[in-house]
Amino acid sequence: MMQIIVILICLLTPLGILWLTYKSAVLRKVGSIIIAYVIGCTLGLTGLIPDTEEMHGVQTAVASASIPFAIPLLLFSADLKASRACSPSQPFRAFLFWAG
């Protein structure tokens, strides 16, 4: 039961943070990253999520599953046309050098 609660916390907390930042001007100024850090530190330091091997496995599985979703979302937000307008060849040369 606790595993399901931890999975729901890991999945629904970012959605709640984004919803709150859209609804509140004050939280929008604070920023969703800062709010996520505060919530994460609070959950970790207060012991609301038990520190057991079972919970470490659940947290690792959630983190491992979220990485394949995060990378395309980061690439969707990249504005490649704007980076090409700044310097036609430099960003792509840097990318090819880094990727190769």
Side-chain angles (χ1 to χ4, degrees), residues 9-99:
I9 288 172
C10 290
L11 294 177
L12 296 178
T13 301
L15 293 174
I17 291 170
L18 290 176
W19 181 76
L20 287 173
T21 54
Y22 284 124
K23 294 293 180 180
S24 171
V26 173
L27 292 179
R28 192 175 310 122
K29 288 182 182 179
V30 171
S32 59
I33 302 297
I34 302 296
I35 296 168
Y37 270 103
V38 168
I39 290 173
C41 290
T42 303
L43 287 174
L45 294 174
T46 58
L48 293 174
I49 297 177
D51 191 23
T52 62
E53 289 298 322
E54 186 178 352
M55 288 301 125
H56 287 286
V58 170
Q59 291 170 343
T60 302
V62 170
S64 297
S66 65
I67 290 172
F69 292 111
I71 293 172
L73 290 174
L74 288 171
L75 293 175
F76 287 148
S77 66
D79 189 5
L80 296 177
K81 287 184 181 181
S83 65
R84 189 168 181 174
C86 294
S87 174
S89 62
Q90 292 299 334
F92 297 108
R93 282 188 201 161
F95 176 73
L96 290 175
F97 177 74
W98 177 77

Side-chain angles (χ1 to χ4, degrees), residues 2-14 62:
M2 190 63 178
Q3 295 173 342
I4 295 171
I5 293 172
V6 170
I7 291 171
L8 288 175
I9 288 172
C10 290
L11 294 177
L12 296 178
T13 301
V62 170

